[in-house]
Amino acid sequence: RSRLRLVAEQRMIRRGHRRMRALAAVAAIAGALLAAALTWTLMTVPGPWRLDPADPRVSLDDVEREVARRYPVPDIASASLARMLASGDVVLFDVRTAEEFAAGHLPGAIRVEPGTGTEEFLARHRARLGGAPVVFYCAVGVRSSQMMMRTLERIAPHATGGIYNLRGGIFRWASGGRALVRGDAPGEAHPFDANWGQLLSRSTAAP
């Protein structure tokens, strides 16, 4: 009986060791997955915005590069968009506030409230999407890039002509002397705020 008891105890010990090894393996896998998720988060979530638009050393080119780094979405230059508008239909979405839009916007643009979700966007604008290129823009490209990051996967199947962010936003458009409208009258680019207004002034004054 003592021998049988000893054998049973040894079996229980071995089963306990196997369970511990299995739990350790599960914990290691979970830790690896957590580390991978954390790394992915750090890679994909932009850090704090560090460019100061009031700093005279900061140019619109610097802002464009930072936007492209933080939000890797397809973009289009102002000159290319101007040619596209002259040669055919383009669907323009202005991702700025009502006050900014009222000061001046690209001809034919449709205002979309910043922060609009995918479902709301599709409910309001699905019928406008089709074979024509779709271009989002805002002041310098941040809010419009964020809009694209949220909605691109869902709206891409409905916009077969391509979806783009206007590089440099309305600041870049205005710096090239291109037309903005306010109703039936000429418009102007809204500065967003005093600091960004300094960048706009430097950009439009540049030769």
Side-chain angles (χ1 to χ4, degrees), residues 4-186:
L4 290 175
R5 188 181 302 112
L6 178 62
V7 170
E9 289 175 351
Q10 289 175 342
R11 287 176 179 172
M12 290 178 65
I13 291 170
R14 285 197 294 270
R15 283 198 295 268
H17 287 166
R18 285 197 294 269
R19 290 194 189 98
M20 291 177 64
R21 287 195 295 270
L23 289 172
V26 170
I29 293 171
L33 290 173
L34 180 60
L38 178 59
T39 300
W40 175 253
T41 299
L42 292 173
M43 291 174 60
T44 55
V45 176
W49 182 272
R50 300 190 184 280
L51 290 178
D52 180 4
D55 186 339
R57 297 169 297 179
V58 173
S59 69
L60 187 52
D61 290 336
D62 296 327
V63 172
E64 289 177 353
R65 285 190 290 269
E66 180 65 6
V67 171
R69 183 189 70 81
R70 295 165 70 90
Y71 308 105
V73 296
D75 64 11
I76 185 171
S78 289
S80 299
L81 176 58
R83 289 192 294 270
M84 193 181 289
L85 288 167
S87 62
D89 291 334
V90 180
V91 181
L92 295 171
F93 290 111
D94 185 313
V95 190
R96 298 182 300 155
T97 65
E99 178 184 345
E100 292 173 275
F101 187 84
H105 54 268
L106 272 66
I110 304 153
R111 193 182 79 83
V112 178
E113 186 67 24
T116 299
T118 303
E119 296 303 327
E120 181 182 351
F121 179 86
L122 284 172
R124 290 176 178 271
H125 305 294
R126 165 68 184 85
R128 303 179 191 275
L129 307 177
V134 174
V135 177
F136 290 86
Y137 74 88
C138 60
V140 295
V142 173
R143 288 170 290 177
S144 50
S145 293
Q146 292 171 338
M147 174 71 72
M148 287 185 63
M149 295 282 282
R150 287 196 303 273
T151 64
L152 187 59
E153 183 177 351
R154 291 286 307 281
I155 68 176
H158 306 293
T160 56
I163 307 170
Y164 307 94
N165 185 54
L166 178 58
R167 190 184 313 148
I170 204 169
F171 281 23
R172 178 62 75 189
W173 183 267
S175 73
R178 298 181 176 89
L180 295 170
V181 297
R182 179 172 51 198
D184 295 329

